[in-house]
Amino acid sequence: MALDTTKLKRDLSISLLIYSLPVLAIYLYFKLNNGIVTESHIVLPSFLEFAKPAFENIRTWGLIAFMLVLGVVEFTAGLYDEKWTGRERKIDIICFLAPKLLLPPVITFFSLTVLPYVIPNLANTLSWVPFWGGFFLIAVADDLTQYWYHRLHHQVPFLWRFHRTHHSAPYMGMAMASRQNFLYTVFFSQIYLTATLTYLGLGLPALFVLVVKSIITLGAHSSLAWDKPFYKYKVLHPIAWVLERLISTPATHHAHHADTSGDGVGHFKGNFGNMFFLWDMTFGTGLITRKFPESYGTKTYKSEEWYAQFLWPIFKSKIEGSPLADGVLSTPISQKRETVSTNQTIPTNQNIYEPVQS
């Protein structure tokens, strides 16, 4: 999928406007209050005070427990369809555990050493911002930045190989939710943006954004399709209409992980949103069908060893024709065939490629 530079420039311009909206809202709030700060993000709104201990616990151990419990439920229900083989288990487990060991020291070094050096004397300078303003600012900055990080990894062939690991899983669920190449994880752009805003004094809003976003994104990856009742019952259709355009749901995100876009359901060329699907609606990269793909992953996936997926390009695949092997970008593996209503199969001249090249 080649980059459309005209569309890219337009979308980036729109993004700059969106990034500025929380700043403008905070500025107007400040001016309307005649420059008087009446509240601080350090003090939660009264209606959220009860939730602070829960959010703090979820951040430290709750999200991991949530993932494990949900994964056990999925596995017990047989939702992986026996696709969780030895190699798949190994890469999923390594990708789940490694960030817990890799990221804390990296983020700690960035927050305690790099930021004080790059922007000295600016710690807590945004502590006057009200909680809602900090939440709005971080939610937009964090998630819109991740949208672009994700989108570019699909649209730039070189970057795709760092993100390909996440799309190699032939199933959806908690097992593969953390499945990423280590460089994709370490350079996760919005992590450092959020760390910077936390350093500037928005730590509490950052905590709430982290928890809300984590629950939404984990729910979107889950093989438990919690959104189906909203599509099934007519009385819930108005809620479904809002939900599927506002946040990522299993239906929209599963479509992003489909192994084909030829069925009208799969959409690996879009549906890039993580917490907010709103970005896809804004930039025209979204597809909503309320249906689920029949299969997931990439057509060229060859059940590769964990080190080739997690540690590429340090370690490369030894499988011939793999996009993670030396000198290979994308390899067609078969002719695409279309089935018509008469049950006849008509071959076409179109090969099946890695999704980024389709």
Side-chain angles (χ1 to χ4, degrees), residues 1-35:
M1 182 177 178
L3 278 173
D4 182 339
T5 54
T6 301
K7 177 175 171 54
L8 184 65
K9 290 177 182 178
R10 185 202 68 185
D11 289 354
L12 285 172
S13 299
I14 295 173
S15 294
L16 290 176
L17 174 62
I18 295 173
Y19 277 123
S20 70
L21 291 179
V23 178
L24 179 61
I26 294 169
Y27 173 77
L28 291 175
Y29 171 83
F30 189 67
K31 294 297 290 185
L32 290 173
N33 279 278
N34 297 316

Side-chain angles (χ1 to χ4, degrees), residues 69-80:
V69 170
L70 195 53
V72 169
V73 172
E74 292 173 339
F75 184 79
T76 303
L79 296 177
Y80 291 107

Side-chain angles (χ1 to χ4, degrees), residues 15 57 72 92 111 113 131 133 137 142 174 204 222 259 261 269 282 318 350:
S15 294
N57 289 329
V72 169
D92 286 341
S111 300
T113 304
F131 176 85
L137 178 64
D142 176 286
M174 289 300 98
L204 195 54
S222 176
D259 66 356
S261 60
K269 294 180 180 179
T282 300
K318 297 178 182 178
Q350 188 174 6

Side-chain angles (χ1 to χ4, degrees), residues 114-136:
V114 176
L115 288 175
Y117 178 78
V118 176
I119 47 176
N121 305 317
L122 291 182
N124 295 317
T125 52
L126 295 181
S127 60
W128 58 270
V129 174
F131 176 85
W132 68 263
F135 186 93
F136 185 24

Side-chain angles (χ1 to χ4, degrees), residues 61-283:
W61 58 267
L63 287 173
I64 295 176
F66 176 73
M67 289 182 70
L68 292 174
V69 170
L70 195 53
V72 169
V73 172
E74 292 173 339
F75 184 79
T76 303
L79 296 177
Y80 291 107
D81 295 328
E82 299 181 353
K83 293 177 181 177
W84 209 36
T85 62
R87 284 190 174 184
E88 305 305 330
R89 284 197 298 272
K90 189 176 292 185
I91 184 63
D92 286 341
I93 291 171
I94 289 172
C95 288
F96 175 76
L97 295 176
K100 313 298 184 291
L101 302 174
L102 284 173
L103 289 181
V106 172
I107 296 173
T108 298
F109 176 78
F110 179 77
S111 300
L112 299 182
T113 304
V114 176
L115 288 175
Y117 178 78
V118 176
I119 47 176
N121 305 317
L122 291 182
N124 295 317
T125 52
L126 295 181
S127 60
W128 58 270
V129 174
F131 176 85
W132 68 263
F135 186 93
F136 185 24
L137 178 64
I138 294 177
V140 170
D142 176 286
D143 203 57
L144 181 54
T145 301
Q146 187 173 356
Y147 166 87
W148 276 106
Y149 189 74
H150 188 188
R151 175 173 163 176
L152 289 175
H153 275 76
H154 275 264
Q155 295 181 336
V156 179
F158 175 73
L159 293 178
W160 162 249
R161 290 199 281 187
F162 294 102
H163 182 53
R164 177 182 180 273
T165 299
H166 189 58
H167 284 265
S168 64
Y171 46 83
M172 292 296 290
M174 289 300 98
M176 56 72 62
S178 302
R179 186 169 173 151
Q180 293 284 9
N181 175 280
F182 85 104
L183 284 177
Y184 185 92
T185 299
V186 169
F187 289 100
F188 222 35
S189 54
Q190 76 283 2
I191 290 177
Y192 304 99
L193 179 60
T194 300
T196 301
L197 292 172
T198 299
Y199 171 79
L200 294 175
L202 301 178
L204 195 54
L207 166 66
F208 276 71
V209 171
L210 169 68
V211 173
V212 171
K213 178 174 181 174
S214 297
I215 292 173
I216 291 173
T217 54
L218 290 175
H221 281 89
S222 176
S223 60
L224 300 176
W226 59 262
D227 54 338
K228 278 189 175 181
F230 291 94
Y231 313 140
K232 182 178 180 180
Y233 300 106
K234 192 172 183 179
V235 68
L236 298 177
H237 284 184
I239 299 176
W241 191 93
V242 174
L243 272 179
E244 63 194 359
R245 285 162 176 77
L246 178 63
I247 65 172
S248 289
T249 62
T252 55
H253 199 68
H254 281 221
H256 175 70
H257 280 264
D259 66 356
T260 181
S261 60
D263 58 358
V265 177
H267 193 52
F268 48 70
K269 294 180 180 179
N271 290 20
F272 301 123
N274 293 276
M275 174 165 63
F276 293 127
F277 194 75
L278 183 63
W279 312 135
D280 288 287
M281 300 304 298
T282 300
F283 301 117

